[in-house]
């Protein structure tokens, strides 16, 4: 049986907020005063793929964070960058 060579992030969420995925860039904006220094994310990835680091424990997103998805074939990888911003005071 051929192993899957897809290494994609199909969906990225912080709670019920879904991030925008464009190529390998994942972006989301939170309301003013949201603390982004400790956020838990969930990622839907290609079948049998793995992601590193694990996004489910709380991580700091004050700077862009890079994640690598490895396909089920164990060799095909793709790096994604998650950028979280907070709206400016109005």
């Amino acid at each position: 049986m051929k192993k899957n060579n897809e290494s994609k992030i199909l969906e990225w969420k912080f709670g019920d907020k879904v991030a925008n995925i464009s190529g390998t860039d994942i972006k989301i904006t939170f309301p003013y005063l949201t603390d982004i220094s400790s956020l838990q994310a969930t990622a839907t990835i290609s079948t049998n793929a793995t992601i590193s680091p694990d996004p489910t424990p709380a991580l700091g997103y004050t700077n862009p964070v890079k994640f690598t998805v490895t396909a089920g074939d164990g060799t095909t990888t793709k790096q994604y960058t998650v950028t979280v911003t907070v709206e400016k005071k109005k």
Side-chain angles (χ1 to χ4, degrees):
M1 189 166 109
K2 187 174 180 231
K3 296 214 178 200
N4 188 346
N5 67 351
E6 288 208 355
S7 53
K8 294 181 181 174
I9 293 178
L10 306 171
E11 183 179 68
W12 189 275
K13 292 172 75 173
F14 292 100
D16 62 353
K17 290 184 66 74
V18 179
N20 180 40
I21 301 173
S22 178
T24 58
D25 292 322
I26 300 172
K27 297 183 178 186
I28 190 166
T29 301
F30 280 95
Y32 176 64
L33 292 180
T34 301
D35 180 5
I36 61 170
S37 65
S38 183
L39 296 174
Q40 290 179 290
T42 55
T44 302
I45 58 177
S46 302
T47 303
N48 297 323
T50 58
I51 188 168
S52 179
D54 182 353
T56 55
L59 298 172
Y61 288 89
T62 53
N63 292 305
V65 180
K66 294 188 183 301
F67 292 88
T68 301
V69 178
T70 303
D73 65 7
T75 57
T76 305
T77 63
K78 190 177 285 186
Q79 188 173 74
Y80 288 81
T81 302
V82 178
T83 304
V84 177
T85 56
V86 177
E87 290 177 336
K88 304 280 187 229
K89 185 177 181 180
K90 294 181 180 177

